[in-house]
Amino acid sequence: MKTRIIMAAMLLVATAATAQSDDPVIMKINGEAVPRSEFEYSYNKNNTDGVIDKKTVEEYVDLFVNYKLKVQAAMKARLDTIQSLKKEYEQYRDQQIRPAMVTDEDIERKAREIYDATQHRIDSGGGLVRPAHILIRMGQQASQQEQDAAKHRIDSIYQVLMQGADFAETARKHSNDNSARNGGDLGWIEKGYTVPEFEETIYSLKPGEMSKPFTTQYGWHIVKLMEKRMFFPYDSMRTDIIRYIGQRGIRDQIVRQKIGDIAKATGKTEEQILAEKREEMVAADSDLKYLIQEYHDGVLAIELTQRNVWEKAQNDKEGLAQFFKKNKKNYQWEAPRFKGIAYRTRYAQDVKAVQKALKGVSFDKWAQVLRETFNNDSILRIRVEKGYFKKGDNAIVDRNVFKKDTTITELKDYPNVAVFGKLLKAPKEMEDVKGQVVNDYSEYLMERWVADLRKDALIEVDKKVLATVNKH
């Protein structure tokens, strides 16, 4: 007995050692172990052949560590308890699992069910028919003269057909319907497909038989029944039905039904059923495991980055101003730019009126002032393009500011062309290059934040395991 216990313990240790060697810990970040498989998944996904700035394994370590530190900081801030983020993650997670609840047998069973219902409906209604027709259109408000003309024409066509003319060729020459190019062939149809008068006539014919002229709301028809049959066999329809199931969201219906059946049989909740399926799937597929984890961690990291970096970069006016002042030499233009508007006016007097309205107004409010002053009713008095223009950006600015010989395309009803603003050799204030400043300030805040995260972090990387990435 004692020997069996010792042997079992040795086997357990050996099994654990084998598992460890199969997926060793590649690093620890603040005590949190990262298996090699997780690092490999992240590295391989972000360094495919198409990536411009492809990293070596060693170069990727710092990026990976920075990302994991952000996730840890987000968890520490309890962002994982925010209901909106939890819901977003759970929806994504379940989207990866729910389709796997459906087996090929489930799809086949549903396809059969759809086929049987369709077959019963069609066959009990008289089967399928393939008619060809000739249509002489006649509007519902047609005059008596137009009605008489249409009747005369259809009667003439009917007489030609009765004398042995080919139906398809006659349809191509005389029918007013799109089917004329196909010799009037309408393809296979079932009851309920068309208007009652047309349907009644079709189903009263035998294959090869032709009707006399008759009317519907569309005009005068002559119909020939080409074929008649019961519904097609299952094997010929199966591929189309499977495609239909995928396109119409029926697969989701099957999932809901199957989960409901399992819940009814076992007493488990939908969450429990999906959790069990998820455990089964991630145990067999580490890529799926890390895909789900990646989304969870990404949602948290993005939210914390939004708070610590992007929102601050947009809203920290004092910080932006100081950053611009300190780095002003970095914001230069290769060539002068015109800061202002190029505009067209409906009335000549509005050329000077625009300039008067903008005098003393800050640049960021120009659009609002112009809209409220000149375009606040149904008649638009001016057309305006506002911005920072370099040579070649706008023909009006090119001619009036940069004195370039260029042609200005005329705009109907707006004959008067002008500009208002000033030519800048270099940016004078932050607003002149705000987009670039915000972007650079974001990078600065990101670098500072990551440095703070790394300052007190305990990071241990196993160089031996790192050397085995994608080589085991």
Side-chain angles (χ1 to χ4, degrees), residues 398-441:
D398 283 350
R399 191 188 70 180
N400 291 23
V401 177
F402 294 113
K403 308 305 179 185
K404 183 180 177 183
D405 184 15
T406 186
T407 301
I408 299 174
T409 304
E410 293 184 3
L411 185 61
K412 184 183 178 183
D413 298 330
Y414 295 88
N416 310 290
V417 175
V419 297
F420 182 71
K422 55 186 175 182
L423 186 65
L424 302 178
K425 292 183 178 180
K428 297 295 184 183
E429 53 189 355
M430 189 191 70
E431 290 297 325
D432 295 338
V433 283
K434 186 175 180 180
Q436 189 179 349
V437 175
V438 169
N439 185 64
D440 292 348
Y441 189 46

Side-chain angles (χ1 to χ4, degrees), residues 70-346:
K70 293 174 188 176
V71 175
Q72 288 183 352
M75 293 292 290
K76 186 176 181 180
R78 296 180 57 80
L79 298 189
D80 59 319
T81 65
I82 297 175
Q83 286 302 313
S84 60
L85 299 184
K86 285 181 64 177
K87 185 176 180 181
E88 179 183 346
Y89 159 67
E90 288 168 359
Q91 285 179 340
Y92 178 84
R93 177 197 66 193
D94 292 348
Q95 283 171 2
Q96 313 313 307
I97 306 303
R98 291 175 69 87
M101 296 295 298
V102 178
T103 64
D104 291 342
E105 290 76 14
D106 295 326
I107 297 297
E108 191 69 32
R109 191 180 305 112
K110 188 65 177 180
R112 263 290 179 184
E113 179 185 317
I114 293 171
Y115 173 82
D116 290 344
T118 305
Q119 181 190 41
H120 176 74
R121 185 188 74 247
I122 290 175
D123 288 354
S124 63
L128 295 167
V129 291
R130 186 167 72 89
H133 83 144
I134 295 170
L135 169 66
I136 301 303
R137 290 195 179 275
M138 184 175 64
Q140 295 182 11
Q141 303 300 322
S143 66
Q144 187 61 51
Q145 184 179 0
E146 290 170 332
Q147 294 179 39
D148 292 343
K151 179 66 167 66
H152 176 74
R153 189 176 178 197
I154 199 72
D155 285 342
S156 299
I157 293 171
Y158 181 69
Q159 290 302 319
V160 170
L161 291 170
M162 290 299 290
Q163 292 170 15
D166 181 74
F167 191 94
E169 191 60 34
T170 304
R172 289 189 186 95
K173 288 181 180 179
H174 300 291
S175 183
N176 299 144
D177 188 62
N178 289 334
S179 65
R181 67 172 69 96
N182 299 320
D185 193 338
L186 294 171
W188 290 103
I189 64 175
E190 60 177 288
K191 278 189 177 178
Y193 180 85
T194 185
V195 293
E197 305 95 321
F198 194 86
E199 183 178 286
E200 184 180 339
T201 302
I202 296 171
Y203 277 88
S204 69
L205 298 174
K206 295 177 182 178
E209 192 175 359
M210 183 177 72
S211 74
K212 293 180 179 181
F214 66 98
T215 58
T216 69
Q217 65 197 60
Y218 301 108
W220 283 96
H221 304 260
I222 300 172
V223 176
K224 182 178 181 180
L225 183 59
M226 311 300 290
E227 294 182 75
K228 186 174 183 179
R229 61 165 298 152
M230 294 294 101
F231 194 48
F232 306 106
Y234 176 73
D235 288 346
S236 69
M237 299 298 297
R238 180 181 177 277
T239 301
D240 290 335
I241 296 174
I242 297 294
R243 187 183 303 114
Y244 174 83
I245 287 173
Q247 292 173 342
R248 295 301 181 92
I250 297 174
R251 184 180 288 267
D252 292 336
Q253 297 175 17
I254 300 172
V255 171
R256 288 195 296 271
Q257 180 64 47
K258 190 163 187 180
I259 291 175
D261 291 343
I262 296 173
K264 190 180 295 183
T266 62
K268 296 175 182 177
T269 65
E270 178 177 339
E271 289 74 17
Q272 290 172 323
I273 295 167
L274 288 173
E276 290 177 358
K277 186 65 175 178
R278 183 169 68 252
E279 289 179 12
E280 172 193 327
M281 292 175 66
V282 300
D285 184 356
S286 62
D287 279 358
L288 176 62
K289 171 186 174 182
Y290 293 131
L291 175 68
I292 294 173
Q293 179 182 319
E294 177 185 54
Y295 196 87
H296 171 272
D297 293 351
V299 166
L300 300 182
I302 289 172
E303 177 66 22
L304 194 59
T305 304
Q306 176 72 22
R307 297 181 180 195
N308 288 355
V309 177
W310 299 326
E311 284 184 3
K312 188 173 182 181
Q314 286 286 346
N315 303 322
D316 182 9
K317 294 182 179 179
E318 183 178 345
L320 277 169
Q322 291 177 355
F323 183 82
F324 174 71
K325 184 177 181 180
K326 185 178 179 180
N327 299 278
K328 191 173 182 179
K329 63 181 182 299
N330 297 330
Y331 301 103
Q332 301 296 322
W333 294 323
E334 294 180 0
R337 300 195 182 186
F338 176 69
K339 176 183 179 181
I341 58 171
Y343 65 104
R344 303 167 186 261
T345 70
R346 184 182 293 270

